[in-house]
Amino acid sequence: MKEEIQDNLIQIHDLRISIYSEGSYFDVVKGLSLSVCSNEILCLVGESGCGKSITALSVMGLLPTDVAQVTNGEILFRGQDLLKLSASDMRRLRSDEISMIFQDPITSLDPVFTIGSLLTEIIRVHRNVGSSEAENMAVDALEAAQLPNARQRLKSYPHELSGGMRQRVMIALATALNPAVLIADEPTTALDVTVQAQILERLRERQREQKMGMLLITHDLAVVAEVADRVAVMYAGEIVEEASVQTLFDKPQHPYTQGLLGAIPDITARRGSLHAIPGRVPPPQVPPPGCEFAPRCVHALEECWESRPLLEGSGEGKLRCFNPQPLIT
Amino acid sequence: MLIVLLISSVAVFYAIRLSGGDATAAALPGSATEEFREEFRARIGLDKPIYLQYFAYMGKILKGDPGHSITNNASLVEMLKEHGKNSLVLGGAAFALVFLIGVPLGVLASLRRNSWADHGIMSFSIAGMAIPNFWLALLAIWLFASTFRILPAAGCCSGKQLILPAIVLAFEGIALTVRMTRSAMIENQNNDFVRTLRAGGLSEWRVMGKHVLRNAMIPIISLAGLRIGQIVGYALIVEQIFSWPGIGQALVTAVLRRDYPVAQFFSLVLVVLVVLGNWLADTGYTLANPRLRRSR
């Protein structure tokens, strides 16, 4: 028991996030619970707009407070509720203990400062070190992110680097202080495919070296298959299925997960149209009364339309479904 | 830049020559005979074709001898030194005020968006752009010099006498700079890199005061040169109203007296200043924006 408490770096309980738009509030994250342990990669998967990124931002305490607010739940980091921390305490944790890598490395770096000055500034905000010491730490971080000619690159401006190199700089920024938790929000989506693989590889090596707990957000199941230890599938602001990567790919139980996996194009199949899940994500303004997925589910029962299933199960596998199906291939 | 200078010097030269009026009427007494007038024109070169006059003139300028006033025979170099120094003090003070007041107010307005401070600063800015500065000058004299009697209405060159003309001269520049700073700050606050810096654990003060402001300064610096041009232009009016003996005032006086050499030379000086300002703006732009600095 003691083991488990220490192991869980991030525990989110019943998180609810409301967004204010066009004069009304509505929930985009609806009672989400998950945990990230040290030395593991949890992939959070789901289609665009299901609430993945906003969940990540809420862990960082970086929700745009004028439009989005946490209305319920707690986010525990080593047992301490991040939502109750003061702004300056939260600031101290950022990048020192909990780091985040963003989707678009092109726009995510300040264009008028050199990457060396960005890195050393963040290092010196958290560590009481001199400028040459900070510079050495910056070089170490860049080298760990496998940026070639790290020391010369300190004097480069972001626009002088390629997209892949910039994402390495982002990794260096996020891991320079050896954080316990690393959140990566679609870290490879903006990069081309060959660079994607290198960046993913490097991220996973960094995670293993530093035994970080990593929350990787993606909508790309190929990425999941490559790096994940555990997977949480998110749909319309809720987690619908959670399992180890092996179990999820072999025996997906939720019809939505099955639909996602079924939608992966098979290069061995010569012809035929691509599989897709029929219908659309329900608009968050008017959620359906029953299961969020019922309107698109081919296996929906009467009760699926009337009441919401709960996320049930423990440890390894969790599922939110009244009528799970064995996978038919 | 040299081409711009060349073309504008021709334009200034022709404009003054074509403005009409007779130099001899201003320089010589009404009783002078027509022969004497002809002789006078020949002596100062007014009988030659206008393009020859231009080349002769430019040659002299480049040799550092712009000539003398035809009304009081003062050396133009001496006049430039004296009036130029006064203008530099006034213009420099106004230029500094534009940024020392404009940028902080704009930053404040952007950080307290839609608060009373923002609305106050923005109304002030609209007023600053709407009020013509000759009227503002009269208003300032009436208010501070005649009603409250705390500042002198005119004259040169004590610090107290500098306050009113400098503020009036800077006013529109301040108003524009406030607006530009505010909108550039707001634009950059929505940049993705702001989120990265916050995620790095930097304080709001650092994120806004260092990174966002530095990005917002790019358009402000690039238009600083245009502020120089604006100040040079308005200096004509403001120096006149506050009897500040600068280049602007000397130029206005010279034009009224049809003192060609003075009017021409000082017009040219002002043109050079404006062109120099624009050139500085380009240089400043590349200094402020590293993306333009090393285009490999």
Side-chain angles (χ1 to χ4, degrees):
Chain A
M1 192 64 204
K2 197 183 166 209
E3 180 78 43
E4 195 189 302
I5 292 171
Q6 276 196 331
D7 212 15
N8 279 342
L9 281 172
I10 295 276
Q11 281 179 292
I12 303 178
H13 287 305
D14 199 22
L15 182 71
R16 232 162 237 287
I17 302 175
S18 280
I19 275 191
Y20 179 77
S21 167
E22 288 160 12
S24 62
Y25 285 95
F26 50 86
D27 287 350
V28 288
V29 174
K30 302 157 188 167
L32 177 136
S33 299
L34 60 78
S35 58
V36 182
C37 305
S38 64
N39 201 17
E40 74 156 359
I41 300 183
L42 173 68
C43 272
L44 192 58
V45 211
E47 53 199 292
S48 311
C50 72
K52 295 170 302 200
S53 296
I54 208 145
T55 305
L57 285 177
S58 71
V59 175
M60 293 298 291
L62 290 174
L63 283 180
T65 46
D66 46 341
V67 290
Q69 227 135 30
V70 174
T71 51
N72 187 40
E74 51 184 10
I75 301 172
L76 304 177
F77 170 70
R78 293 192 169 133
Q80 182 180 30
D81 192 351
L82 297 180
L83 298 172
K84 295 204 178 82
L85 282 184
S86 71
S88 62
D89 285 340
M90 187 67 223
R91 206 155 53 225
R92 238 161 270 142
L93 283 184
R94 280 183 208 139
S95 97
D96 199 356
E97 294 282 24
I98 309 175
S99 261
M100 186 158 176
I101 297 173
F102 296 96
Q103 177 167 356
D104 191 351
I106 308 293
T107 57
S108 291
L109 291 169
D110 185 346
V112 301
F113 288 93
T114 61
I115 61 172
S117 77
L118 288 172
L119 271 162
T120 50
E121 183 176 11
I122 285 178
I123 290 169
R124 295 187 72 183
V125 160
H126 294 282
R127 299 274 191 275
N128 188 20
V129 293
S131 59
S132 62
E133 172 71 18
E135 211 161 88
N136 290 335
M137 287 172 75
V139 172
D140 290 344
L142 288 172
E143 273 168 357
Q146 283 182 346
L147 188 80
N149 304 326
R151 193 165 282 278
Q152 288 97 299
R153 286 296 173 194
L154 289 180
K155 291 194 186 68
S156 298
Y157 286 93
H159 71 276
E160 294 169 335
L161 306 179
S162 69
M165 284 158 96
R166 282 187 233 192
Q167 197 60 304
R168 289 176 198 275
V169 173
M170 289 294 288
I171 293 174
L173 276 175
T175 55
L177 300 165
N178 296 324
V181 179
L182 179 63
I183 302 169
D185 186 0
E186 308 260 8
T188 57
T189 310
L191 306 172
D192 62 63
V193 188
T194 46
V195 182
Q196 275 187 14
Q198 296 166 11
I199 295 285
L200 273 181
E201 180 73 6
R202 194 73 283 261
L203 266 178
R204 187 170 55 179
E205 284 166 25
R206 274 309 259 161
Q207 180 265 327
R208 294 280 187 251
E209 284 160 23
Q210 301 186 2
K211 299 205 176 345
M212 287 185 288
M214 185 165 151
L215 178 65
L216 179 69
I217 294 169
T218 182
H219 61 256
D220 187 345
L221 286 167
V223 169
V224 177
E226 202 162 324
V227 299
D229 295 309
R230 281 191 305 132
V231 188
V233 181
M234 206 168 164
Y235 183 76
E238 299 173 327
I239 285 177
V240 294
E241 184 166 5
E242 195 184 314
S244 73
V245 65
Q246 202 65 38
T247 316
L248 192 99
F249 275 87
D250 289 348
K251 291 186 216 116
Q253 295 195 69
H254 197 281
Y256 177 64
T257 316
Q258 293 173 358
L260 279 184
L261 292 170
I264 300 174
D266 183 357
I267 51 165
T268 56
R270 279 283 179 80
R271 54 178 66 177
S273 55
L274 297 172
H275 290 280
I277 304 173
R280 306 177 154 275
V281 183
Q285 292 90 334
V286 270
C291 172
E292 296 269 359
F293 191 59
R296 303 172 71 182
C297 183
V298 285
H299 307 294
L301 305 171
E302 198 108 320
E303 61 174 331
C304 298
W305 290 91
E306 282 156 9
S307 57
R308 274 169 186 257
L310 298 171
L311 189 64
E312 282 171 308
S314 63
E316 271 292 273
K318 290 181 191 157
L319 183 67
R320 187 192 293 273
C321 186
F322 288 130
N323 189 18
Q325 299 289 315
L327 184 65
I328 306 145
T329 41
Chain B
M1 189 179 85
L2 285 174
I3 294 170
V4 175
L5 276 179
L6 193 72
I7 295 173
S8 48
S9 70
V10 173
V12 167
F13 192 82
Y14 272 72
I16 299 267
R17 289 304 144 105
L18 296 175
S19 62
D22 189 348
T24 59
L28 303 176
S31 58
T33 62
E34 193 51 41
E35 293 87 66
F36 189 72
R37 284 175 195 272
E38 281 299 328
E39 196 200 309
F40 181 77
R41 286 196 191 101
R43 182 152 59 88
I44 61 174
L46 281 178
D47 58 336
K48 297 204 183 72
I50 195 162
Y51 64 92
L52 285 182
Q53 289 180 33
Y54 172 77
F55 287 127
Y57 182 64
M58 289 314 285
K60 275 164 82 184
I61 293 253
L62 293 178
K63 268 184 242 151
D65 171 30
H68 294 77
S69 158
I70 53 175
T71 46
N72 59 7
N73 218 24
S75 157
L76 283 181
V77 177
E78 288 307 311
M79 275 180 86
L80 178 64
K81 272 187 197 156
E82 192 193 322
H83 292 274
K85 193 190 77 195
N86 293 337
S87 277
L88 212 60
V89 170
L90 178 59
F95 190 70
L97 281 180
V98 165
F99 295 100
L100 290 181
I101 298 179
V103 171
L105 282 184
V107 171
L108 183 68
S110 78
L111 295 182
R112 302 265 178 278
R113 205 172 349 158
N114 294 327
S115 69
W116 63 266
D118 182 24
H119 293 308
I121 290 170
M122 282 300 107
S123 324
F124 158 83
S125 159
I126 291 174
M129 288 191 292
I131 298 174
N133 55 19
F134 59 85
W135 189 69
L136 184 70
L138 297 177
L139 199 69
I141 291 174
W142 171 72
L143 201 62
F144 295 103
S146 27
T147 309
F148 295 127
R149 297 178 185 283
I150 43 177
L151 291 168
C156 175
C157 300
S158 70
K160 258 190 159 181
Q161 285 166 321
L162 178 64
I163 296 175
L164 279 185
I167 289 177
V168 169
L169 192 53
F171 211 69
E172 191 174 335
I174 292 174
L176 284 168
T177 306
V178 166
R179 284 195 96 71
M180 276 174 41
T181 308
R182 179 180 181 269
S183 61
M185 285 290 290
I186 288 173
E187 204 182 301
N188 280 295
Q189 280 164 24
N190 296 326
N191 258 330
D192 282 350
F193 72 74
V194 172
R195 203 178 48 184
T196 310
L197 295 169
R198 285 186 180 139
L202 302 191
S203 62
E204 279 307 284
W205 172 243
R206 262 174 185 271
V207 173
M208 292 299 161
K210 183 175 171 188
H211 294 267
V212 174
L213 180 61
R214 183 69 172 67
N215 278 276
M217 285 311 285
I218 292 173
I220 297 165
I221 291 174
S222 78
L223 291 177
L226 299 185
R227 294 289 93 77
I228 297 181
Q230 201 179 32
I231 286 173
V232 169
Y234 287 153
L236 286 180
I237 302 164
V238 173
E239 285 180 359
Q240 196 67 17
I241 295 176
F242 288 97
S243 329
W244 186 270
I247 294 181
Q249 204 214 23
L251 177 61
V252 172
T253 312
V255 168
L256 292 177
R257 288 186 190 155
R258 305 211 178 284
D259 192 340
Y260 284 145
V262 178
Q264 198 164 283
F265 181 60
F266 280 2
S267 303
L268 207 56
V269 167
L270 294 189
V271 167
V272 169
L273 281 176
V274 173
V275 173
L276 211 63
N278 289 349
W279 177 75
L280 278 176
D282 288 347
T283 320
Y285 194 69
T286 46
L287 279 181
N289 191 345
R291 276 162 295 184
L292 295 177
R293 206 179 303 159
R294 297 186 221 162
S295 43
R296 289 174 190 162

